[in-house]
Amino acid sequence: MTSDSAMRGRTAIVTGASSGIGQAIALRLGAAGAAVHLVGRTAPPMAATVTRIAAAGGSATANVLDLRDHDALAALIDRVADESGRLDVMVNNAGIASNRAILAEEVDAAREMFDVNVLALLVGCRAAVGAMRRTGSGGHLVNISSTAARQPDSGVYGATKAAVGYLSEGLRRELEDDDIRVTSLLPGVVATNVVRNFTPESVAGIGALVGVPLETAPGERLPEKVLEAAQNALGTHIARPEDIADAVYYVVGLPLRLNIPEIVVRPARTMRI
Ligand SMILES: NC(=O)c1ccc[n+]([C@@H]2O[C@H](COP(=O)([O-])OP(=O)(O)OC[C@H]3O[C@@H](n4cnc5c(N)ncnc54)[C@H](OP(=O)(O)O)[C@@H]3O)[C@@H](O)[C@H]2O)c1
C-alpha cells in the first residue's frame, strides 16, 4: 500500500468496495489518510480492507448494504457526512456486468444492472451533493463507467454505462456553481470479479485462457488464484485494480477550480472479453 498524507482530514465513501476496483480505491484513499467508508454486500473482504487501512495508520468503516435499497444508501451518506461534518469524495463504483447480447438479456438481469449501475449511482450522487452542500465541504463525485459505454455491442451493460456518462456530464454542468466537481472514469479490462455474471461459456473460457479449470455458479466470485493467473497470463492486455485507483486518487487530489469530466484508463493492448 503506497502511503502519504495528501488526504488527511478528508472523508470519502466508496461503493462496491468489497471487491476488485472499489477495494483498491478504498485502500488507495485510506493510504493517503482519508477516512474511508466502504459500502458493499459482502462483509469479510471489507473488514479485511478496514484492518489493512487501520494497520497503515488510517481510518475506515465497513457498511454492509444492498445498493438497490436506495433509501438505505441515502441514509448512510447523510449519516457519514453528519458524523464527519463533511463529505469530500463520493465514488460510485459498484456495478454488475453481463456480456449477453441485448436480445438475449433477461429482463430481471437488465433491471438489476440499471438498478445498481445507474439508479444507485444517481441516488449516491444526489445524496452526496446534498451532504456536500449542507456541510459546506464541497468535493468530488467520481462515477465508474466503462469503455463498454463506447462499444455499441456491449449489450444492456454498455447501455447502463452510457447512462453513467450522460448523468455525469449533466451533473457536471448542473454543479458548476457549486464547489462540487464530477468525473466519469472509464476503465478498460481489469482482472476482477466483474465477469461473475457473464455466460457460463465465457467464464469457463477465462479459466481455459489462464490454465485453471473453472466451474463457478452464476454470480459466484472467481477464486483469487484465477484472478492472479489472469493478471499474470494477460500481461499488458489487462489493467490492475490499483491502476484505476491511482486515477481516482489523481482526480480527487485536484483543486476544485478544475474539473476532469472524463478519464479513460485502458491497458496498453486491446482485448475483448
Ligand atoms: N473489471 C473490469 O474489466 C471493468 C471494466 C470497466 C468498468 N468496470 C466497472 O468497475 C466497477 C467495479 O467493478 P469490478 O470490476 O471491481 O467488479 P467486482 O469485483 O465484481 O466488484 C463489484 C462491486 O460492486 C458491488 N455490488 C454489486 N451489486 C451490488 C449491490 N446490489 N449492492 C451493493 N454492492 C453491490 C459488489 O459487492 P458484493 O460483491 O459485495 O455484492 C462489488 O463490491 C463496476 O461499475 C464495473 O462495471 C469494470
Side-chain angles (χ1 to χ4, degrees), residues 16-22 39-42 65-68 93-97 112 116-117 144-147 157 161 187-194 196 221 273:
S18 58
S19 179
I21 292 171
V39 185
R41 284 179 299 190
T42 315
L65 192 75
D66 189 322
L67 291 162
R68 290 170 294 180
N93 160 79
I96 308 271
E112 184 178 5
V116 176
N117 300 4
I144 305 300
S145 174
S146 169
T147 51
Y157 174 65
K161 293 303 188 180
V189 182
V190 186
T192 71
N193 282 297
V194 79
R196 62 178 113 169
R221 288 175 178 228
I273 53 171

Side-chain angles (χ1 to χ4, degrees), residues 63-115:
N63 303 275
V64 176
L65 192 75
D66 189 322
L67 291 162
R68 290 170 294 180
D69 184 345
H70 299 150
D71 290 345
L73 172 61
L76 171 71
I77 293 168
D78 283 349
R79 181 174 59 73
V80 165
D82 289 344
E83 288 175 4
S84 309
R86 59 190 300 123
L87 179 63
D88 302 278
V89 176
M90 177 74 206
V91 185
N92 292 294
N93 160 79
I96 308 271
S98 162
N99 66 338
R100 288 167 183 77
I102 292 169
L103 291 175
E105 195 64 81
E106 298 284 346
V107 171
D108 283 348
R111 183 179 292 117
E112 184 178 5
M113 280 190 278
F114 273 104
D115 215 349

Side-chain angles (χ1 to χ4, degrees), residues 20-262:
I21 292 171
Q23 188 171 48
I25 295 169
L27 281 166
R28 186 70 194 86
L29 300 183
V36 187
H37 302 273
L38 291 79
V39 185
R41 284 179 299 190
T42 315
M46 290 198 290
T49 301
V50 167
T51 302
R52 279 183 69 184
I53 292 173
S59 128
T61 70
N63 303 275
V64 176
L65 192 75
D66 189 322
L67 291 162
R68 290 170 294 180
D69 184 345
H70 299 150
D71 290 345
L73 172 61
L76 171 71
I77 293 168
D78 283 349
R79 181 174 59 73
V80 165
D82 289 344
E83 288 175 4
S84 309
R86 59 190 300 123
L87 179 63
D88 302 278
V89 176
M90 177 74 206
V91 185
N92 292 294
N93 160 79
I96 308 271
S98 162
N99 66 338
R100 288 167 183 77
I102 292 169
L103 291 175
E105 195 64 81
E106 298 284 346
V107 171
D108 283 348
R111 183 179 292 117
E112 184 178 5
M113 280 190 278
F114 273 104
D115 215 349
V116 176
N117 300 4
V118 182
L119 291 177
L121 177 141
L122 171 61
V123 169
C125 287
R126 291 169 73 142
V129 167
M132 288 171 182
R133 283 177 172 165
R134 197 171 63 253
T135 61
S137 62
H140 289 91
L141 309 179
V142 182
N143 295 327
I144 305 300
S145 174
S146 169
T147 51
R150 300 277 163 77
Q151 294 159 196
D153 59 347
S154 297
V156 174
Y157 174 65
T160 67
K161 293 303 188 180
V164 170
Y166 191 94
L167 289 173
S168 300
E169 178 58 10
L171 279 169
R172 182 186 70 74
R173 294 182 195 203
E174 288 183 24
L175 292 167
E176 278 189 352
D177 293 334
D178 285 81
D179 270 345
I180 301 174
R181 307 285 79 95
V182 187
T183 299
S184 174
L185 198 163
L186 292 75
V189 182
V190 186
T192 71
N193 282 297
V194 79
V195 294
R196 62 178 113 169
N197 290 306
F198 280 20
T199 61
E201 306 76 53
S202 305
V203 175
I206 291 166
L209 191 66
V210 301
V212 182
L214 261 185
E215 286 179 28
T216 52
E220 192 184 333
R221 288 175 178 228
L222 274 53
E224 201 56 44
K225 66 176 181 184
V226 172
L227 296 179
E228 281 168 21
Q231 196 74 72
N232 294 333
L234 299 173
T236 53
H237 281 105
I238 198 157
R240 295 166 189 269
E242 295 75 20
D243 300 327
I244 311 305
D246 283 342
V248 172
Y249 176 67
Y250 164 71
V251 165
V252 303
L254 291 171
L256 295 176
R257 65 186 164 77
L258 297 173
N259 198 115
I260 305 291
E262 190 176 281

